Amino acid sequence: MAANILDGKAISAELKVKVAERVAALKARGVTPGLAVILVGNDPASEIYVRNKGKGCEETGMLSRTVRMDADTTQEALEAEIEKLNEDPDIHGILVQLPLPKHLNEQAALSRILPEKDVDGFHLMNVGRLAAGAEGVVPCTPKGALYMLQSAGIELAGKEAVVIGRSNIVGKPMAMLLLQQNCTVTVCHSKTKNLKEHTRQADILVSAVGKPHFVTADMVKPGAVVVDVGINRVDGKVIGDVDFEQVKEIAGWITPVPGGVGRMTIAMLLSNTADAAERTLNRE
Ligand code: NDP
């Protein structure tokens, strides 16, 4: 029997409605949540993401600001721009669009963002909070993926979860979140031996690798929940890491690409920005 689809389009639309309600409530109390995106250079994929973030702000009633900087901008100039936004009371969330040009130090730049305005959750303070199970800002993509599972009512406690990929933006925080949900978590990576032996044990299988058709049906336990984070461009089409057509015949639940986790990322970014604005108000 074919798997149930975890519909990112529907779930993200629903989340955005909830964010819009929170934005309206904040506005009624005199605060308009503001998100600033710093874009260095003009990478075409980054341009699309930044445009979509602006669109998301508009849809939910937030203030959106894009700071454009030349590709040859210096580290000092970038960090000075971040400082200005740190001090700006109209801005509650700051995001530096990645990747940055090679000559810039990404971690140093991200560490200049005030942790409470770090709506991507990449500041080491927030990374540490997540690892310690303390309250902090959680990266949008893994948080969005978890939200999809929860909104479908998928039971997580006690389940075997396997995450393929250990990047700081997806794999590691995803593993932390699943651990917090009481899954037994295995993290696989490029040096993992006998990958299939691990993945076939997974009740929840998350792929964040960035290789098209990397996860095939023989790697999946029948009835498993398969979350495809991968975004790969092949012949002008966007496809995931999972061989969707094959795997959907064996999985219990599956996220499509496009229309899956990718849709959740921006919705979660808006939600993190609303959280940041609410925190400001509560502090006052
Ligand atoms: P990275 O390239 O940073 O990480 C890829 C991970 O995959 C690494 O940990 C790597 O292992 C692992 N890997 C590579 N080859 C293998 C292999 N043969 N077997 C097992 N593991 C392997 O990518 P990201 O985490 O940034 O992104 C992953 C994917 O998710 C990409 O397609 C990206 O476009 C997509 N993405 C989607 C988002 C969304 O909104 N849906 C947001 C962010 C990313 P090692 O550490 O050993 O090198």
Side-chain angles (χ1 to χ4, degrees), residues 58-86:
E58 209 173 295
E59 276 169 39
T60 50
M62 289 190 195
L63 168 81
S64 155
R65 193 184 299 166
T66 305
V67 177
R68 291 177 177 275
M69 305 187 77
D70 291 337
D72 61 357
T73 204
T74 62
Q75 186 77 23
E76 292 69 31
L78 172 60
E79 293 187 20
E81 209 52 64
I82 293 171
E83 283 301 335
K84 263 198 259 168
L85 296 169
N86 279 340

Short mmCIF file of all heavy atoms in Angstrom, two decimals, residues 58-86:
data_model
loop_
_atom_site.label_atom_id
_atom_site.label_comp_id
_atom_site.label_asym_id
_atom_site.label_seq_id
_atom_site.Cartn_x
_atom_site.Cartn_y
_atom_site.Cartn_z
N GLU A 58 5.40 39.36 4.29
CA GLU A 58 4.23 40.11 3.81
C GLU A 58 2.94 39.35 4.12
O GLU A 58 1.98 39.92 4.65
CB GLU A 58 4.37 40.29 2.29
CG GLU A 58 3.72 41.51 1.74
CD GLU A 58 4.08 41.64 0.26
OE1 GLU A 58 5.28 41.84 -0.05
OE2 GLU A 58 3.16 41.48 -0.55
N GLU A 59 2.94 38.05 3.80
CA GLU A 59 1.75 37.21 4.04
C GLU A 59 1.32 37.21 5.50
O GLU A 59 0.13 37.11 5.80
CB GLU A 59 2.06 35.76 3.68
CG GLU A 59 1.93 35.40 2.21
CD GLU A 59 2.53 34.03 1.95
OE1 GLU A 59 2.37 33.11 2.78
OE2 GLU A 59 3.20 33.89 0.93
N THR A 60 2.29 37.27 6.42
CA THR A 60 1.95 37.15 7.83
C THR A 60 1.88 38.50 8.53
O THR A 60 1.63 38.56 9.73
CB THR A 60 2.97 36.24 8.56
OG1 THR A 60 4.29 36.70 8.23
CG2 THR A 60 2.83 34.80 8.16
N GLY A 61 2.14 39.58 7.78
CA GLY A 61 2.01 40.92 8.35
C GLY A 61 3.25 41.44 9.06
O GLY A 61 3.18 42.40 9.82
N MET A 62 4.39 40.80 8.81
CA MET A 62 5.64 41.24 9.47
C MET A 62 6.35 42.30 8.64
O MET A 62 6.15 42.40 7.42
CB MET A 62 6.62 40.06 9.59
CG MET A 62 6.18 39.06 10.58
SD MET A 62 7.52 37.88 10.85
CE MET A 62 6.60 36.61 11.67
N LEU A 63 7.24 43.00 9.33
CA LEU A 63 8.12 43.93 8.63
C LEU A 63 9.30 43.13 8.08
O LEU A 63 9.87 42.29 8.78
CB LEU A 63 8.63 44.96 9.65
CG LEU A 63 9.78 45.85 9.21
CD1 LEU A 63 9.25 46.99 8.37
CD2 LEU A 63 10.52 46.41 10.43
N SER A 64 9.62 43.39 6.81
CA SER A 64 10.74 42.66 6.20
C SER A 64 11.77 43.67 5.70
O SER A 64 11.42 44.69 5.10
CB SER A 64 10.17 41.85 5.04
OG SER A 64 11.14 41.58 4.08
N ARG A 65 13.03 43.41 5.98
CA ARG A 65 14.07 44.30 5.47
C ARG A 65 15.19 43.45 4.87
O ARG A 65 15.61 42.46 5.47
CB ARG A 65 14.63 45.15 6.61
CG ARG A 65 15.48 46.30 6.10
CD ARG A 65 16.09 47.07 7.22
NE ARG A 65 15.12 47.69 8.11
CZ ARG A 65 15.46 48.19 9.31
NH1 ARG A 65 16.69 48.13 9.74
NH2 ARG A 65 14.54 48.75 10.06
N THR A 66 15.63 43.82 3.67
CA THR A 66 16.76 43.12 3.06
C THR A 66 17.94 44.07 2.98
O THR A 66 17.80 45.18 2.45
CB THR A 66 16.40 42.60 1.65
OG1 THR A 66 15.23 41.81 1.74
CG2 THR A 66 17.53 41.76 1.06
N VAL A 67 19.07 43.66 3.54
CA VAL A 67 20.28 44.46 3.46
C VAL A 67 21.18 43.79 2.42
O VAL A 67 21.62 42.65 2.61
CB VAL A 67 21.00 44.51 4.83
CG1 VAL A 67 22.30 45.29 4.73
CG2 VAL A 67 20.08 45.09 5.90
N ARG A 68 21.41 44.49 1.31
CA ARG A 68 22.24 43.92 0.24
C ARG A 68 23.66 44.45 0.35
O ARG A 68 23.86 45.65 0.51
CB ARG A 68 21.67 44.29 -1.13
CG ARG A 68 20.37 43.60 -1.39
CD ARG A 68 19.75 44.01 -2.71
NE ARG A 68 18.53 43.25 -2.90
CZ ARG A 68 18.48 42.03 -3.42
NH1 ARG A 68 19.59 41.46 -3.85
NH2 ARG A 68 17.32 41.39 -3.53
N MET A 69 24.62 43.54 0.27
CA MET A 69 26.03 43.95 0.34
C MET A 69 26.76 43.35 -0.85
O MET A 69 26.43 42.25 -1.32
CB MET A 69 26.66 43.49 1.65
CG MET A 69 25.90 43.97 2.88
SD MET A 69 26.73 43.62 4.43
CE MET A 69 28.00 44.88 4.44
N ASP A 70 27.80 44.07 -1.33
CA ASP A 70 28.56 43.59 -2.49
C ASP A 70 29.29 42.29 -2.17
O ASP A 70 29.69 42.05 -1.02
CB ASP A 70 29.60 44.65 -2.90
CG ASP A 70 28.92 45.87 -3.49
OD1 ASP A 70 27.76 45.72 -3.96
OD2 ASP A 70 29.53 46.95 -3.46
N ALA A 71 29.53 41.50 -3.21
CA ALA A 71 30.20 40.20 -3.04
C ALA A 71 31.60 40.36 -2.44
O ALA A 71 32.10 39.45 -1.79
CB ALA A 71 30.28 39.48 -4.39
N ASP A 72 32.23 41.54 -2.67
CA ASP A 72 33.60 41.72 -2.16
C ASP A 72 33.62 42.49 -0.84
O ASP A 72 34.64 43.03 -0.43
CB ASP A 72 34.47 42.41 -3.21
CG ASP A 72 33.95 43.80 -3.57
OD1 ASP A 72 32.88 44.18 -3.03
OD2 ASP A 72 34.61 44.49 -4.37
N THR A 73 32.48 42.51 -0.17
CA THR A 73 32.41 43.23 1.10
C THR A 73 33.38 42.61 2.12
O THR A 73 33.72 41.43 2.03
CB THR A 73 30.94 43.21 1.62
OG1 THR A 73 30.75 44.28 2.48
CG2 THR A 73 30.60 41.92 2.32
N THR A 74 33.81 43.42 3.10
CA THR A 74 34.77 42.89 4.08
C THR A 74 34.04 42.32 5.29
O THR A 74 32.87 42.64 5.54
CB THR A 74 35.70 44.02 4.59
OG1 THR A 74 34.89 45.00 5.25
CG2 THR A 74 36.49 44.67 3.45
N GLN A 75 34.77 41.52 6.05
CA GLN A 75 34.23 40.94 7.29
C GLN A 75 33.79 42.06 8.24
O GLN A 75 32.72 41.99 8.84
CB GLN A 75 35.33 40.08 7.95
CG GLN A 75 34.88 39.31 9.17
CD GLN A 75 34.07 38.06 8.83
OE1 GLN A 75 34.17 37.53 7.73
NE2 GLN A 75 33.25 37.61 9.76
N GLU A 76 34.62 43.12 8.30
CA GLU A 76 34.33 44.24 9.21
C GLU A 76 33.02 44.91 8.81
O GLU A 76 32.18 45.21 9.67
CB GLU A 76 35.45 45.30 9.18
CG GLU A 76 36.79 44.86 9.77
CD GLU A 76 37.50 43.80 8.93
OE1 GLU A 76 37.35 43.80 7.67
OE2 GLU A 76 38.19 42.95 9.51
N ALA A 77 32.84 45.12 7.50
CA ALA A 77 31.62 45.80 7.04
C ALA A 77 30.40 44.93 7.33
O ALA A 77 29.35 45.43 7.77
CB ALA A 77 31.72 46.10 5.55
N LEU A 78 30.55 43.63 7.13
CA LEU A 78 29.43 42.71 7.38
C LEU A 78 29.06 42.74 8.87
O LEU A 78 27.88 42.87 9.24
CB LEU A 78 29.82 41.29 6.94
CG LEU A 78 28.85 40.17 7.29
CD1 LEU A 78 27.47 40.40 6.69
CD2 LEU A 78 29.38 38.81 6.82
N GLU A 79 30.08 42.65 9.71
CA GLU A 79 29.80 42.62 11.15
C GLU A 79 29.25 43.96 11.65
O GLU A 79 28.41 43.99 12.56
CB GLU A 79 31.06 42.19 11.93
CG GLU A 79 31.40 40.73 11.61
CD GLU A 79 32.53 40.14 12.44
OE1 GLU A 79 32.82 40.69 13.52
OE2 GLU A 79 33.11 39.13 12.01
N ALA A 80 29.68 45.05 11.02
CA ALA A 80 29.14 46.37 11.40
C ALA A 80 27.65 46.44 11.06
O ALA A 80 26.84 46.99 11.83
CB ALA A 80 29.90 47.48 10.67
N GLU A 81 27.28 45.85 9.94
CA GLU A 81 25.87 45.83 9.52
C GLU A 81 25.05 45.00 10.53
O GLU A 81 23.94 45.39 10.91
CB GLU A 81 25.79 45.22 8.12
CG GLU A 81 24.66 45.69 7.26
CD GLU A 81 24.54 47.21 7.14
OE1 GLU A 81 25.46 47.87 6.61
OE2 GLU A 81 23.50 47.70 7.61
N ILE A 82 25.62 43.87 10.96
CA ILE A 82 24.93 43.01 11.95
C ILE A 82 24.75 43.80 13.25
O ILE A 82 23.66 43.79 13.85
CB ILE A 82 25.74 41.72 12.20
CG1 ILE A 82 25.75 40.85 10.94
CG2 ILE A 82 25.18 40.93 13.39
CD1 ILE A 82 26.68 39.65 10.98
N GLU A 83 25.79 44.52 13.67
CA GLU A 83 25.71 45.32 14.90
C GLU A 83 24.57 46.33 14.83
O GLU A 83 23.83 46.52 15.79
CB GLU A 83 27.03 46.08 15.16
CG GLU A 83 28.14 45.21 15.73
CD GLU A 83 27.77 44.54 17.05
OE1 GLU A 83 26.90 45.06 17.77
OE2 GLU A 83 28.34 43.48 17.35
N LYS A 84 24.46 46.98 13.65
CA LYS A 84 23.39 47.99 13.50
C LYS A 84 22.02 47.33 13.71
O LYS A 84 21.15 47.88 14.39
CB LYS A 84 23.44 48.58 12.08
CG LYS A 84 24.20 49.90 12.00
CD LYS A 84 23.86 50.63 10.72
CE LYS A 84 24.97 50.44 9.69
NZ LYS A 84 24.64 50.86 8.35
N LEU A 85 21.86 46.15 13.12
CA LEU A 85 20.57 45.46 13.26
C LEU A 85 20.35 44.96 14.69
O LEU A 85 19.22 44.94 15.19
CB LEU A 85 20.49 44.29 12.26
CG LEU A 85 20.51 44.71 10.78
CD1 LEU A 85 20.71 43.50 9.88
CD2 LEU A 85 19.21 45.43 10.41
N ASN A 86 21.44 44.56 15.35
CA ASN A 86 21.33 44.16 16.77
C ASN A 86 20.71 45.27 17.59
O ASN A 86 19.92 45.03 18.50
CB ASN A 86 22.71 43.86 17.37
CG ASN A 86 23.22 42.47 17.00
OD1 ASN A 86 22.45 41.60 16.63
ND2 ASN A 86 24.53 42.26 17.12
#
